[in-house]
Amino acid sequence: MASRRRMLLKVIILGDSGVGKTSLMNQYVNKKFSNQYKATIGADFLTKEIQVEDRLFTLQMLILPFLQIWDTAGQERFQSLGVAFYRGADCCVLVYDVNVVKSFDNLNNWREEFLIQASPSDPENFPFVVLGNKIDVDGGNSRVVSEKKAKAWCASKGNIPYFETSAKEGINVEAAFECIAKNALKNEPEEEIYLPDTVDMAGSSRLQSSSSGCEC
Amino acid sequence: MRLREDARSLIFTNLCSMLGTFFLGLGSVYIKSKEAPAKDILKDLVEMCRGIQHPVRGLFLRNYLCQISRDKLPDIGSEYGGDGDSINDAVEFVLQNFTEMNKLWVRMHHQGPIREKEKREKERSELRDLVGKNLHVLSQIDGVDLDMYRDTVLPRALEQVVNCKDDLAQHYLMDCIIQVFPDEYHLQTLETLLGACPQLQPNVDIKMVLSQLMDRLSNYAASSTEVLPEFLQVGAFAKLSNAIGKVIDSQPEMPVFGSITLYVSLLTFTLRVHPDRLDYVDQVLAACVKKLSCLPRIEDKKATKQIVALLSAPIEKYNDIDTALKLSNYPRVMDHLDNATNKVMAVVIIQSIMKNNTYISTSDKVDALFELIKGLIRDMEDTDDEELDEDDFKEEQNSVARLIHMLYNDDPEEMLKIIYAVRKHILLGGHKRLVFTVPPLVFSALKLVRRLHCQEGDVIGEDVPATPKKIFQLLHQTVEALSVVPSPELALRLYLQCAEAANDCDLEPVAYAFFTQAFVLYEEEVADSKAQVTAIHLIIGTLQRMNIFGVENRDTLTHKATGYSAKLLKKPDQCRAVYACSHLFWVDDQDGIKDGERVLLCLKRALRIANAAQQMANVTRGSSGPVTLFVEILNKYIYFFEKGNPQITSSAIQGLIELIMTEMQSDNSLSEPSMDAFFSSTLRYIQFQKQKGGVMGEKYEPVKV
């Protein structure tokens, strides 16, 4: 049973609009990047089969709308459904844009938002990973948040692993998600696994075919 | 019975949607197996979903379809085929799902009892993302390139939006389209997108939709200069401007503030995208003026706020009022503001000038600027005087005063023109404003005088327009204007300032004339005894520093000053003014006047007055007043003694000290701690000088403390 539970690793990606959450996910899963900015409506997710410590997992990455309105400048009008998606998360990824101070300042809000919505059993030790994205922009000249500052914040929140990424150039994306998967795995499984109604059929169907065969 | 039927139908629909979910899952696996072309299966699935017509269940079922099919859509580079046709199929599939979902969603609005309408609309609003999700999926399909978007996706999506005739859906979906598709697409399809706006339901908040679009495009333009040519190529400004015009015309019901909000967005867009096109900015303002001119003066608070935003935008953008002054429609927009807001705006303009240290450097610009801020400069028609808050008025006028110092040009000739221009405007301000505006103008002119004086040598001659003499004439007339206020004390101060400046320019007659003016004012206008005291000390102070007067002029003036001093009302005031006059006869400069005898005369006279004051106090209060005056005079003695005035002797000082001591010991003298401290520290000073030795020590030798 334990192994079956661990088949799915659920990762929640949060951050201000426009920091590149969708782009990071797309780069990691589809190795694709588009310079065009397209807002995400509601919750969005992608899955990827991965191997960690010789075992196969399905990594499910969700970009979620935030529910508390602490910043009305965001895209909250596209966010009405969603509290259910938070449950059962194994890891939370906080993304900011190294060229936008506000997006970094908001990390704290995002972290708290997550802890409130997901209410993990052990909030102190819940695995977070922070990504500073868009390091490629203008050859790093328009950067306003230094690596040192970001690392200091991460250290102050219980040594959160930190990565500097570029979804555009694919820099550090693979490494970051590898770390994310490992940290997700470390998280103690919740009492009850919650599968939202949009969860992958592919994963479960494969399971079925390998055990008892099709029910129809 | 009824209940059973309901329950039955509920179970039935539930069963249907469960079945649907199951089949959809199955279909998804089937696509993965690649046994049949993805497009056929998707088509079947989307058809199958028609079976569920219960809006909420249908929405969720189709949302589920949307989710599971996402990574199986035939797209460029996807494993489920991605040639031209199959991309069409994918787009067709999502569009169809979108259309069907929107229909279900809109239907929710019309189903169920009327009394629950509000609750239902709230519920609907919470479900909107399910519908919007389809648009998001479309935007994520790589195969949806500009051509596909322009030819298929956008027209089909807009068709559905327009035809559904539902307020909530139209507003939300328009916003969705704007947010999920990239900026480049919007730019290239502006006409289509904007064309839909006037077709929306009258209750849809089009201004919000359009503002969102313009804000988005503005941000895009700001992101990189490389994208700007795109905007020019498609003529974005003209299209937006046109669309806004149409929307405003087609919606006569739209509140004023709504149309102005639209202009604000357009202006923001223009400033970001075409910062160099002042004519565009002016065009937007002109359109706004046109709209405003058909209306009575704006009373609506929200609308006024928007006009202020409209007018503030160019100032903030250019950080330079100069540019705003070139906008011919700018003042015309301001004319539509009520007086109070007009003033607020004027203050904003002044603050911008102050903050950015913008110098207004020609008289033409000064004229334009004063026209702009005329609400502060002169009384407007139909102003309600009662509303005027005294503090606000002061604050406003002080800001005008600060502004006057920003009107500056290095070239004296132009500077003089500026001064003439400012003078012309502020003289219209009425007596209440002159008190605030004349002083800065006077000082600005005096600054010019001093500058001319410094450059003197290379610019002398009658044909030069900007000469100190000419400016002093102007100053004369300007200060004279204060007589209507009347504010004699202020005028007197300014005359004295002018006199001092004239002194520095070696213009004796001019300086004398200013003094005469000051004296006339003193004699005729300054009646209040306190004001007289202040005035006389100012006169003495200024006169003391004058060094161009010949003996005769000087005698006349000092004579007058001492005369006034001795005629002050209160004895202590008289005494203090008289001993201050002593400085008029002893100027501690190299070639300053040093008339020891007259100094002594002044001091002796002061002593006599102090004595008289003491006696008066004895008579009226039964106790002699404090001996402060004597100690003050003693200090004057010490000053002149040290400066080497031969008339002031050590024995005089000695005598004075003894006099004070006797006074203090007399039974009926009033003891005052501060006075005692003053006296004892004076004595300590003498002691100190004695002990220090040297020349000064020797001088003090005979004085016994």
Side-chain angles (χ1 to χ4, degrees):
Chain A
M1 197 57 196
S3 70
R4 179 178 168 178
R5 260 191 203 169
R6 307 309 274 145
M7 288 306 293
L8 182 78
L9 296 176
K10 182 167 167 178
V11 171
I12 306 238
I13 305 176
L14 299 174
D16 282 12
S17 79
V19 295
K21 299 181 291 292
T22 306
S23 294
L24 280 165
M25 205 162 77
N26 267 335
Q27 175 61 260
Y28 178 56
V29 177
N30 301 322
K31 302 274 175 293
K32 281 197 280 195
F33 177 82
S34 157
N35 236 339
Q36 300 164 333
Y37 173 64
K38 302 164 184 171
T40 301
I41 306 265
D44 192 23
F45 76 95
L46 281 178
T47 55
K48 186 177 166 92
E49 308 287 321
I50 54 157
Q51 201 171 357
V52 185
E53 292 158 7
D54 296 329
R55 283 161 59 199
L56 273 176
F57 293 95
T58 302
L59 188 65
Q60 183 189 44
M61 291 152 285
L62 284 106
I63 293 174
L64 292 190
F66 57 83
L67 300 173
Q68 284 194 323
I69 302 175
W70 39 262
D71 176 16
T72 46
Q75 299 276 346
E76 78 277 3
R77 36 187 213 298
F78 297 127
Q79 294 145 0
S80 47
L81 297 164
V83 66
F85 293 111
Y86 278 89
R87 269 176 270 166
D90 294 304
C91 180
C92 176
V93 183
L94 304 174
V95 188
Y96 76 95
D97 177 348
V98 297
N99 308 293
V100 180
V101 163
K102 190 99 200 309
S103 70
F104 176 75
D105 294 341
N106 275 338
L107 286 184
N108 217 19
N109 291 325
W110 285 116
R111 184 173 166 273
E112 272 161 31
E113 164 86 6
F114 175 81
L115 292 176
I116 290 166
Q117 302 297 349
S119 50
S121 49
D122 184 8
E124 294 294 304
N125 295 311
F126 187 86
F128 282 92
V129 174
V130 171
L131 307 185
N133 195 31
K134 300 201 190 179
I135 54 166
D136 58 279
V137 173
D138 197 14
N141 288 327
S142 59
R143 176 169 191 147
V144 288
V145 182
S146 69
E147 189 171 355
K148 202 175 147 199
K149 190 175 167 192
K151 279 187 169 161
W153 186 81
C154 290
S156 75
K157 299 292 170 192
N159 281 322
I160 302 178
Y162 174 69
F163 289 89
E164 303 235 306
T165 58
S166 159
K168 184 178 183 180
E169 314 278 347
I171 300 167
N172 250 347
V173 177
E174 198 74 32
F177 276 95
E178 213 166 277
C179 172
I180 290 163
K182 276 187 185 154
N183 277 290
L185 195 57
K186 267 189 244 159
N187 186 42
E188 283 299 309
E190 296 285 324
E191 290 298 305
E192 178 197 3
I193 185 131
Y194 176 81
L195 296 175
D197 56 355
T198 51
V199 128
D200 67 324
M201 287 296 290
S204 50
S205 65
R206 200 187 47 244
L207 259 179
Q208 284 165 2
S209 55
S210 66
S211 55
S212 59
C214 200
E215 276 140 66
C216 50
Chain B
M1 190 60 201
R2 179 69 209 269
L3 199 75
R4 247 178 70 195
E5 226 164 69
D6 276 0
R8 200 181 280 167
S9 80
L10 193 74
I11 292 168
F12 177 71
T13 43
N14 263 333
L15 258 176
C16 285
S17 51
M18 276 168 69
L19 260 176
T21 317
F22 175 71
F23 275 110
L24 288 179
L26 204 63
S28 151
V29 177
Y30 194 40
I31 297 175
K32 274 202 151 180
S33 73
K34 297 180 190 160
E35 280 172 27
K39 75 164 200 184
D40 292 344
I41 305 171
L42 289 174
K43 216 171 177 179
D44 286 349
L45 290 175
V46 87
E47 279 296 318
M48 189 200 76
C49 287
R50 280 185 198 271
I52 307 297
Q53 287 294 325
H54 181 280
V56 179
R57 291 203 179 80
L59 275 174
F60 274 102
L61 187 66
R62 284 181 177 276
N63 177 55
Y64 179 57
L65 172 65
C66 173
Q67 297 273 22
I68 55 158
S69 59
R70 249 193 85 183
D71 51 349
K72 296 165 195 75
L73 292 173
D75 192 3
I76 294 171
S78 97
E79 51 184 313
Y80 307 106
D83 51 52
D85 276 350
S86 55
I87 290 166
N88 277 333
D89 293 336
V91 169
E92 184 58 38
F93 166 73
V94 184
L95 274 173
Q96 206 180 330
N97 201 41
F98 165 70
T99 312
E100 293 300 325
M101 280 179 88
N102 192 39
K103 282 181 186 161
L104 288 170
W105 190 43
V106 172
R107 194 183 306 151
M108 270 182 82
H109 177 74
H110 304 287
Q111 283 183 351
I114 298 198
R115 64 192 138 82
E116 284 173 16
K117 203 159 191 172
E118 209 171 301
K119 191 179 146 226
R120 223 166 38 240
E121 281 300 286
K122 196 172 162 270
E123 235 172 62
R124 268 191 76 203
S125 173
E126 282 170 359
L127 293 175
R128 58 194 182 174
D129 288 351
L130 300 179
V131 185
K133 191 87 200 169
N134 290 290
L135 295 171
H136 177 239
V137 170
L138 279 170
S139 79
Q140 296 288 327
I141 298 176
D142 282 347
V144 178
D145 55 8
L146 179 59
D147 289 336
M148 171 94 64
Y149 177 75
R150 184 181 48 217
D151 300 338
T152 313
V153 175
L154 183 62
R156 290 276 302 276
L158 285 179
E159 186 192 353
Q160 176 59 29
V161 172
V162 170
N163 289 343
C164 77
K165 300 207 186 314
D166 178 85
D167 293 356
L168 180 66
Q170 289 189 334
H171 186 198
Y172 172 72
L173 292 174
M174 283 304 279
D175 205 6
C176 265
I177 292 174
I178 290 167
Q179 297 301 331
V180 298
F181 291 104
D183 308 281
E184 297 91 314
Y185 289 12
H186 292 319
L187 265 187
Q188 298 297 335
T189 56
L190 263 183
E191 266 160 333
T192 320
L193 188 60
L194 295 171
C197 289
Q199 300 178 55
L200 301 179
Q201 298 296 102
N203 284 331
V204 175
D205 194 353
I206 303 185
K207 77 170 180 335
M208 276 302 290
V209 173
L210 279 175
S211 299
Q212 293 286 359
L213 175 64
M214 284 186 276
D215 288 350
R216 197 182 156 153
L217 291 179
S218 309
N219 286 335
Y220 179 52
S223 71
S224 158
T225 48
E226 285 163 28
V227 302
L228 290 179
E230 273 182 66
F231 284 86
L232 299 176
Q233 180 220 324
V234 301
F237 173 77
K239 284 179 187 165
L240 285 169
S241 166
N242 199 357
I244 286 171
K246 274 194 188 137
V247 165
I248 290 172
D249 288 344
S250 70
Q251 294 204 348
E253 306 287 289
M254 195 195 301
V256 199
F257 112 88
S259 30
I260 301 167
T261 309
L262 278 175
Y263 287 123
V264 172
S265 294
L266 180 61
L267 188 70
T268 316
F269 171 86
T270 315
L271 290 170
R272 287 249 185 105
V273 182
H274 306 287
D276 52 331
R277 296 296 299 262
L278 267 185
D279 53 330
Y280 283 178
V281 177
D282 213 20
Q283 234 172 291
V284 179
L285 294 176
C288 197
V289 169
K290 202 178 136 215
K291 174 78 194 169
L292 289 170
S293 54
C294 338
L295 301 160
R297 180 157 294 191
I298 310 293
E299 304 266 319
D300 176 13
K301 279 259 157 57
K302 278 205 279 190
T304 332
K305 216 172 146 192
Q306 286 300 319
I307 300 184
V308 171
L310 185 81
L311 290 170
S312 306
I315 300 180
E316 273 162 29
K317 169 71 189 178
Y318 297 111
N319 273 336
D320 176 3
I321 198 71
D322 254 22
T323 317
L325 292 177
K326 289 184 198 132
L327 299 166
S328 62
N329 283 295
Y330 199 94
R332 293 175 60 200
V333 177
M334 277 192 85
D335 285 343
H336 287 279
L337 290 169
D338 59 289
N339 286 328
T341 322
N342 205 313
K343 282 186 190 167
V344 170
M345 201 52 229
V347 171
V348 167
I349 292 172
I350 294 178
Q351 277 165 353
S352 155
I353 294 175
M354 304 307 298
K355 199 178 92 204
N356 298 303
N357 253 325
T358 319
Y359 284 106
I360 310 299
S361 57
T362 68
S363 58
D364 291 345
K365 285 180 190 165
V366 169
D367 281 333
L369 177 66
F370 274 83
E371 181 57 28
L372 219 51
I373 59 166
K374 60 177 179 243
L376 297 181
I377 301 303
R378 51 180 189 255
D379 289 327
M380 301 305 282
E381 301 142 35
D382 63 76
T383 311
D384 220 344
D385 261 351
E386 288 163 32
E387 279 177 41
L388 210 62
D389 182 271
E390 197 62 32
D391 286 342
D392 286 352
F393 180 76
K394 270 189 196 160
E395 194 58 45
E396 284 163 17
Q397 294 309 311
N398 278 329
S399 64
V400 175
R402 282 192 285 272
L403 173 70
I404 292 176
H405 291 292
M406 301 306 290
L407 316 174
Y408 179 82
N409 194 313
D410 269 333
D411 173 41
E413 215 173 298
E414 189 59 43
M415 186 62 210
L416 187 61
K417 278 190 197 158
I418 289 178
I419 289 170
Y420 272 117
V422 176
R423 182 172 177 270
K424 179 183 78 198
H425 289 285
I426 65 166
L427 288 186
L428 299 170
H431 59 277
K432 271 162 70 190
R433 291 187 180 79
L434 285 178
V435 198
F436 294 92
T437 49
V438 167
L441 175 63
V442 166
F443 282 100
S444 177
L446 287 177
K447 216 155 53 181
L448 176 61
V449 167
R450 286 178 205 274
R451 206 166 64 198
L452 284 172
H453 182 64
C454 290
Q455 304 174 340
E456 219 174 293
D458 43 298
V459 275
I460 290 188
E462 281 309 301
D463 50 330
V464 179
T467 62
K469 252 190 197 160
K470 218 170 186 158
I471 299 167
F472 280 123
Q473 283 166 12
L474 176 75
L475 280 165
H476 209 283
Q477 296 157 9
T478 311
V479 181
E480 229 171 13
L482 282 173
S483 63
V484 302
V485 179
S487 178
E489 287 114 69
L490 178 62
L492 184 133
R493 276 169 195 263
L494 294 174
Y495 280 135
L496 291 176
Q497 287 284 352
C498 294
E500 208 183 330
N503 176 72
D504 296 347
C505 292
D506 298 323
L507 294 169
E508 187 183 357
V510 178
Y512 190 82
F514 278 121
F515 256 101
T516 317
Q517 288 296 327
F519 282 8
V520 168
L521 273 180
Y522 180 84
E523 284 174 10
E524 291 174 3
E525 307 282 342
V526 185
D528 176 65
S529 59
K530 260 192 196 150
Q532 281 183 343
V533 174
T534 317
I536 200 72
H537 281 282
L538 282 169
I539 290 174
I540 297 169
T542 313
L543 191 52
Q544 200 261 351
R545 291 167 65 169
M546 307 295 280
N547 55 23
I548 39 150
F549 288 136
V551 182
E552 207 173 304
N553 279 343
R554 192 174 176 90
D555 273 355
T556 317
L557 294 175
T558 47
H559 183 75
K560 275 274 176 200
T562 35
Y564 296 150
S565 302
K567 283 193 197 88
L568 286 170
L569 180 65
K570 293 184 190 161
K571 290 282 172 193
D573 289 340
Q574 271 181 22
C575 172
R576 290 194 173 103
V578 170
Y579 71 61
C581 283
S582 64
H583 287 285
L584 293 177
F585 306 105
W586 193 279
V587 178
D588 198 30
D589 280 341
Q590 204 160 18
D591 27 57
I593 179 173
K594 289 189 175 61
D595 189 341
E597 221 166 301
R598 291 177 77 174
V599 169
L600 185 63
L601 276 175
C602 282
L603 294 181
K604 278 187 171 166
R605 195 164 176 188
L607 267 177
R608 273 205 306 278
I609 301 170
N611 251 324
Q614 196 76 328
Q615 278 163 14
M616 244 170 72
N618 260 329
V619 174
T620 53
R621 278 182 288 180
S623 70
S624 53
V627 286
T628 326
L629 289 173
F630 292 109
V631 185
E632 286 169 20
I633 297 168
L634 171 63
N635 273 278
K636 289 290 164 199
Y637 267 84
I638 292 171
Y639 172 81
F640 289 111
F641 181 62
E642 287 188 5
K643 290 294 174 195
N645 183 340
Q647 305 290 324
I648 310 291
T649 59
S650 56
S651 59
I653 292 178
Q654 182 76 52
L656 199 46
I657 293 173
E658 278 158 17
L659 171 80
I660 294 168
M661 287 179 152
T662 335
E663 283 287 332
M664 284 173 82
Q665 279 151 10
S666 78
D667 295 336
N668 53 0
S669 95
L670 221 65
S671 174
E672 217 173 77
S674 66
M675 214 288 309
D676 291 348
F678 186 21
F679 183 52
S680 54
S681 62
T682 309
L683 293 182
R684 247 197 332 274
Y685 174 76
I686 296 172
Q687 201 77 37
F688 170 74
Q689 290 290 45
K690 280 164 73 107
Q691 281 164 4
K692 209 172 68 177
V695 185
M696 206 48 81
E698 268 171 41
K699 269 193 91 160
Y700 275 107
E701 186 52 38
V703 184
K704 295 197 176 50
V705 189

